[in-house]
């Protein structure tokens, strides 16, 4: 693999800046607001993640890079599914709110959070009983999204592998300071973010989605 980790780091920083600019691109038309909004938010998030990842230039950073890679792959699968329809994009936006409500509900039930008025009176139980914290949309797994978006291979090969590091299942893997290994990790992060950016920008500017062949080429596996 050509180039040092520092070379790849500079490239990722530049790519992050380009994605940040792309998050402000105007859509081709205003007929698909949910998908447009979701794409812009994902491009912005990818820019932030990639900017952080650009500092991973040591062997000790590889695990953090793999964990970050899983988040980026999840975003890639979500945007592939989300751009299929306005309903899917709306589902993803609502899902985030549902997850926050679920977090709040659990903590209310366990007594680690409370709802009080200005006088300090506790209304937690009434708040729970009113049902305002119920889910609005049915939870959908990343695997199901990948399957429906035609990206099950992406899930099974890349996402599952990155999940091993995320869940601490490769603790005995030998550590390496080989620049080639570090560069490979940075290159993979760059390919994933490039693919996510391509999907979003292509949707915003052309109302198009890439073919399976184009996805493989963007990811560098074809």
């Amino acid at each position: 693999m050509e180039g040092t980790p520092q070379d790849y780091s500079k490239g990722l920083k530049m790519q992050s800046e380009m994605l940040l600019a792309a998050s402000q691109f105007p859509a081709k038309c205003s007929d698909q607001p949910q998908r447009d909004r979701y794409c812009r938010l994902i491009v912005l998030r990818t820019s932030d993640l990639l900017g952080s990842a650009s500092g991973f230039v040591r062997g000790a950073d590889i695990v953090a890079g793999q964990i970050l890679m899983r988040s980026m792959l999840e975003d890639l699968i979500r945007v592939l599914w989300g751009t299929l329809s306005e309903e899917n994009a709306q589902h993803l936006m609502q899902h985030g709110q549902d997850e926050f409500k679920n977090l709040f509900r659990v903590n209310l039930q366990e007594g680690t959070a409370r709802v009080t008025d200005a006088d300090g009176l506790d209304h937690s139980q009434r708040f729970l009983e009113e049902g305002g914290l119920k889910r609005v949309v049915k939870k959908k797994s990343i695997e199901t999204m990948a399957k429906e978006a035609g990206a099950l291979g992406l899930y099974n090969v890349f996402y599952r592998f990155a999940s091993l590091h995320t869940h601490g299942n490769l603790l005995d893997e030998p550590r390496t300071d080989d620049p080639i290994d570090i560069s490979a990790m940075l290159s993979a992060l760059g390919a994933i973010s490039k693919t996510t950016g391509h999907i979003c920008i292509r949707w915003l500017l052309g109302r198009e989605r890439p073919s399976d062949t184009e996805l493989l080429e963007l990811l560098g596996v074809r």
Side-chain angles (χ1 to χ4, degrees):
M1 178 167 286
E2 298 181 0
T4 67
Q6 287 72 24
D7 293 331
Y8 280 94
S9 173
K10 291 178 182 178
L12 294 189
K13 288 178 182 177
M14 185 179 300
Q15 194 173 335
S16 173
E17 292 172 0
M18 293 171 66
L19 288 168
L20 178 61
S23 70
Q24 302 298 319
F25 283 176
K28 180 179 181 180
C29 48
S30 58
D31 60 331
Q32 306 289 328
Q34 298 301 328
R35 280 184 272 190
D36 293 346
R37 183 185 178 208
Y38 189 73
C39 281
R40 288 196 185 93
L41 290 173
I42 285 295
V43 170
L44 181 59
R45 172 177 158 86
T46 302
S47 171
D48 290 343
L49 292 176
L50 195 63
S52 298
S54 66
F56 296 165
V57 294
R58 306 170 304 151
D61 297 324
I62 288 180
V63 172
Q66 292 286 353
I67 292 172
L68 201 62
M69 187 182 300
R70 181 181 185 268
S71 292
M72 295 173 72
L73 284 165
E74 186 166 321
D75 288 340
L76 172 55
I77 292 170
R78 285 178 184 270
V79 83
L80 281 170
W81 186 78
T83 50
L84 285 172
S85 70
E86 280 289 276
E87 290 75 19
N88 285 4
Q90 179 60 40
H91 182 286
L92 289 168
M93 298 298 295
Q94 183 60 55
H95 171 73
Q97 297 178 35
D98 280 356
E99 287 298 294
F100 182 80
K101 289 192 294 184
N102 186 57
L103 179 153
F104 189 39
R105 178 183 59 78
V106 169
N107 281 279
L108 281 178
Q109 291 173 336
E110 295 297 322
T112 48
R114 293 191 306 154
V115 176
T116 61
D117 59 23
D119 297 321
L121 296 176
D122 194 326
H123 299 280
S124 301
Q125 188 59 38
R126 180 171 62 84
F127 195 79
L128 281 169
E129 292 172 353
E130 288 177 349
L133 297 178
K134 290 182 178 179
R135 286 187 176 276
V136 175
V137 296
K138 185 178 180 181
K139 193 171 184 178
K140 187 181 287 285
S141 70
I142 296 300
E143 183 176 7
T144 299
M145 290 184 193
K147 187 180 299 183
E148 293 181 1
L152 194 56
L154 179 65
Y155 175 88
N156 283 331
V157 177
F158 299 102
Y159 184 83
R160 285 185 183 276
F161 177 75
S163 294
L164 293 174
H165 289 277
T166 300
H167 298 304
N169 292 324
L170 289 178
L171 295 178
D172 59 346
E173 185 178 53
R175 293 184 66 177
T176 175
D177 286 316
D178 190 331
I180 293 178
D181 293 330
I182 302 169
S183 294
M185 181 265 294
L186 293 173
S187 177
L189 291 170
I192 294 166
S193 63
K194 179 177 70 174
T195 305
T196 301
H198 178 92
I199 294 167
C200 294
I201 294 168
R202 189 165 173 177
W203 170 258
L204 287 169
L205 300 184
R207 290 294 189 256
E208 298 175 345
R209 300 179 75 254
S211 66
D212 293 343
T213 300
E214 289 171 323
L215 281 176
L216 292 175
E217 290 175 348
L218 286 165
L219 289 167
V221 294
R222 183 180 176 85

